[in-house]
Amino acid sequence: MTTKNSSQRLALNTVATYSRSLLGAGLAFFSSRWVLNALGQVDFGLFSLVGSILIFISFLNSVMSGSASRHYAYAIGQGDQIEVNRWFNAALSIHLCLAISLTFAGWFIGDYVIAHILNIPQERIFVCQKVFHISLVSLFTGMLSVPFIAMFRAKQRIAELAGWNMIHSVLTFSFAWYLIHATGDRLVIYAFGMTAILFFVHSIQITRAALGFQECKFVIGQWFDRKRLKELFSFAVWNLIGNFGWILRDQGSAILLNLYFGPKVNASYSIAKQVSDQSGQLAVAMLGAFSPEITAREGRGDRASMINLSLRASKFGTLLVLVFLVPLMMEMEYFLELWLVEPPRYSAVFCRLILCTFLIDRLSSGYLLAVNAHGRIAGYQATIGTIEGLTLPLTWLFFYMGFAPTSVGIAFIITMLICSFGRVLWARHLLKVPIQRWIKKVVIPCCIVGSLAFIAAFLPNFFFQPSFARLVIVTGSSVAVYSVATWFVALDDKEQTFFRHNIQNLWKKLWRRQRHT
């Protein structure tokens, strides 16, 4: 693939994922409110708690997913279609085994944890176990679909994948509207509906990949290929340490919150995670679009271009988070009241702290992709995973000392600051990228843009009381200043030329289409 074609593919994937992210965020704005009102704070918190158990059970599968995607993309970068098919069959065989074994073991582990460890009202224990059993079906199909979805990503068919995700968002939105009118135990109904939607989407994705990609051809003789399984596991073992640290941080903290403060605080924490996830969708989507191209360039031996792209991923990811973070930080209380009417206690503080954590993470996120593409991840993952895992004992220490539930956010920020700088040090060690280059290309321009946007968002507070009008003014002023500052401060000449060229091409296409109609 030529540089021009790869750039066009990257631009198409980015636009498609942005469109999916904006649609998903808009629909989630309404559906989350309906679900919270339908379930109530306690059941809403319990559902997120059951989700935490599922993530713990499936974490091994999630790290194998990253390993499969990396080996696919690397082989594609080398132009070897037969090798890609061998990697697919090896990955499929191990994911099928994982799906069966983890689902079977999870059934008994989840029942025990729900009944004997978590802080759940006595009358809801049986219902939570039923919800957990239903959710295991989607867990199984999700694990089985990983080798197929990884092929979409490795072949940079992100736009098509975004289309299936849009369908998932629309179905989830429609089901949330139905839930507020449903009769019976809505927690069970919600679990069944979400599982049915995921099963449907996963089935379509598996079928589409199996029929559409020659690399997804089943060859039983290539299953359990020792050499490839060894490489898949070797790469995944160190990813496992990094991912386990992340799971301990996010899901372990949710369980600690439940044990110390009960399911209502879980609802607040879940709301904060949703706000962070939705406001960061564009940044995450962009990272997903950049990832296969970064790996492919490393596979072609184009190290300099790979590093440049990873620095751009860090910068653009941070800038995209700032678009939403600045007005949200200023107007969080009013936004939550507008969204949820009666938001759970602590929600605003949780949201601000977790958004700050996400922003810090984005500053070095491109280096995460670069190190994974490089392949020597053992020391990196051991370091980052250990630091992230330390969030859990630090959170426990805060709770033990009698601090408020929101102190978990302080623990998040402390460990993420160390993690982010740790990535920079590992990039210097493995890729020979000077720290000063990251500071100059990412930190300084993002800090200038963020500071100017915060000043613009803060000024309306002197003239207006909290209201929808002030929310609009704060958002408009911060976005306007952000846009100007991004263009003149954050983008270099090549990036300005790239955006100008693509905007002009888009305008010409729209003008021609209008003339023909």
Side-chain angles (χ1 to χ4, degrees), residues 47 50 54 130-140 191 195:
F47 187 82
V50 170
L54 288 168
K130 186 184 294 186
V131 167
F132 179 75
H133 295 158
I134 294 170
S135 302
L136 281 175
V137 176
S138 62
L139 182 72
F140 179 87
T195 296

Side-chain angles (χ1 to χ4, degrees), residues 476-506:
S477 58
S478 67
V479 169
V481 171
Y482 160 89
S483 301
V484 174
T486 296
W487 183 261
F488 290 103
V489 176
L491 301 184
D492 59 31
D493 292 340
K494 289 183 179 179
E495 290 162 352
Q496 288 180 356
T497 301
F498 174 80
F499 282 111
R500 191 184 293 114
H501 177 72
N502 280 278
I503 291 171
Q504 288 174 350
N505 285 343
L506 179 63

